[in-house]
Every structure is written in structure tokens, then in C-alpha cells.
Amino acid sequence: MASLGDSITRGFNACGWYVDCPSRSFSTGDDTGVNSHYLRIRAVNPAINGRNHNDGESGAESADMAGQADAAVSQGVGYVTMLIGANDACASSESGMTPVTTFRSNIDAALGRLKSGLPNARVFVISVPDIQRLWSVGRSSFAARSAWSLFGICQAMLANPTSNAQADVDRRNRVRQRVVDYNTQLAQACAAYGSNCLFDGNAVFNYPFALGQLSGWDYFHPNASGQQALAQISYAAGFGW
């Protein structure tokens, strides 16, 4: 199997200071505490042992998915997970978000390469998490607000986190709507792919994650507990290997 995506798929900040932790990836990791898709599948099909490829890249956006899909094709895998879109929305400002039509074109390009190169593989498309909930659970935390400001994290959503000004409320709602629109496009693109593609039905988007499931270094990426929850929620919405 192979995992496509961004820093969440890479397990970024789930085991060390600002480093990728692919062993704790919800999808292809081998950390027993996370209990990834890979480990859950291996429990019923030992033949997959050692055949877990993490093709994600921290900082990746939808435009990078076609290249990652090519990597999965070269690995000849039978199962692919794709979690992408948070960075498309988490721009330095609202105007920098990826347009919905561009996002869809990027997803179609990636899925097209998977379909042509791995016609028998199953593809699991996972919804983009609700980044407005990130603001909601962290806005009252001084540590979270400080990290968001210091590292310039997802300013399209997280700028002025304590402000109740109408302009800031409206901006957050528009950014959340962009994520909703991305998820709509992911669902539609997967449906157009055919029976070998499954969308998670917004299971991850709807999951009410808590502040304690986020890295204490950036209050953005899932920590080990967050990765474990992501593995459980997404796997339950998937193919049921």
C-alpha cells in the first residue's frame, strides 16, 4: 500500500521537534500505538508486511498529488490512501487559497494517473479536516495562539484568533466553506473514478478532535494520539480490509 498526502500523512511533529515521523502515520506507519491502516491490514493479511510506502510530503498541496500518484504506480501497490487539501486552504492569507476548480483539476489528474497505472488498486480518499475546529479548540490557549503567530500557521484561518470582529468571523467562515467545497470535489472526483475509489463520507471532517490530540509544538499537526484517532476514524469509514 501507499499513502499520498501532506505533513499529516508524514506524521509531522508526532514524535519529534519539527520532523517527519512516518512511523506514526495514520496510514502507512508501523507504530503500534497509532495502529495505522497498514498494521490493521497486516493483522489479517501478513503478506503486506514491509510493503508500506509513504509517498506523502510535508507542505504538499493538491498540485503535488499527480507526482505522488506516479510514485505509487511505480511501487505497484494494491491500496492507496490520499489525504490532501489542508495546505490548499491554509495559505498565509485568504486570497492565497487554491481555487476550487484548480483543486478539482489537480485531484482529477492524480486519480487519472492511479487509474491508468493501477487499474485494480483500491483508492481511499479522505476528507480534509475541519480547520475551523482547530481555531475553535485552540483560541483560548495562550500556547496555541503563540505558536500560530510565531510560526505563521494557517493564517487564512488562524490570524487574529481572539477577534470577534465581523470581518474575522466572516473570513473564518469563508475559509471553512472552502474546505467544505474541497471535500465536495473529493467526493465527486472519487465517484467519477468508479467502484475502486471510496470517499470517507466526511468522517474525518466531522470528527470533533480535541486540543490534546494536537502537537504541543505547533498546535496544528496531530500528535501520536491524534494520529491514532485519525487512523481509527478513517479506517472505519474505508474498505474494511
Side-chain angles (χ1 to χ4, degrees), residues 9-49:
T9 293
R10 292 293 297 172
F12 187 82
N13 267 0
C15 70
W17 168 261
Y18 273 71
V19 294
D20 287 346
C21 303
S23 66
R24 289 186 170 174
S25 168
F26 76 93
S27 176
T28 46
D30 57 11
D31 184 286
T32 56
V34 170
N35 198 17
S36 66
H37 288 219
Y38 163 67
L39 289 182
R40 292 166 191 256
I41 294 169
R42 194 179 71 176
V44 296
N45 180 14
I48 199 176
N49 188 52

Side-chain angles (χ1 to χ4, degrees), residues 47-100:
I48 199 176
N49 188 52
R51 300 179 178 181
N52 50 326
H53 306 278
N54 192 319
D55 297 320
E57 182 180 2
S58 290
E61 299 183 7
S62 58
D64 300 301
M65 289 303 94
Q68 293 185 20
D70 286 339
V73 169
S74 72
Q75 291 152 356
V77 300
Y79 175 46
V80 179
T81 67
M82 181 168 67
L83 172 56
I84 197 67
N87 290 330
D88 290 89
C90 277
S92 57
S93 65
E94 184 183 355
S95 63
M97 295 189 297
T98 303
V100 176

Side-chain angles (χ1 to χ4, degrees), residues 47-150:
I48 199 176
N49 188 52
R51 300 179 178 181
N52 50 326
H53 306 278
N54 192 319
D55 297 320
E57 182 180 2
S58 290
E61 299 183 7
S62 58
D64 300 301
M65 289 303 94
Q68 293 185 20
D70 286 339
V73 169
S74 72
Q75 291 152 356
V77 300
Y79 175 46
V80 179
T81 67
M82 181 168 67
L83 172 56
I84 197 67
N87 290 330
D88 290 89
C90 277
S92 57
S93 65
E94 184 183 355
S95 63
M97 295 189 297
T98 303
V100 176
T101 54
T102 303
F103 180 84
R104 174 59 182 273
S105 295
N106 292 337
I107 297 303
D108 283 342
L111 292 179
R113 295 191 186 189
L114 291 174
K115 191 169 187 176
S116 61
L118 299 169
N120 297 318
R122 292 185 182 182
V123 180
F124 184 40
V125 177
I126 300 167
S127 54
V128 185
D130 185 353
I131 59 176
Q132 190 174 48
R133 181 165 179 82
L134 183 70
W135 165 79
S136 179
V137 300
R139 61 178 171 166
S140 62
S141 165
F142 175 78
R145 297 195 308 270
S146 298
W148 296 343
S149 176
L150 178 64

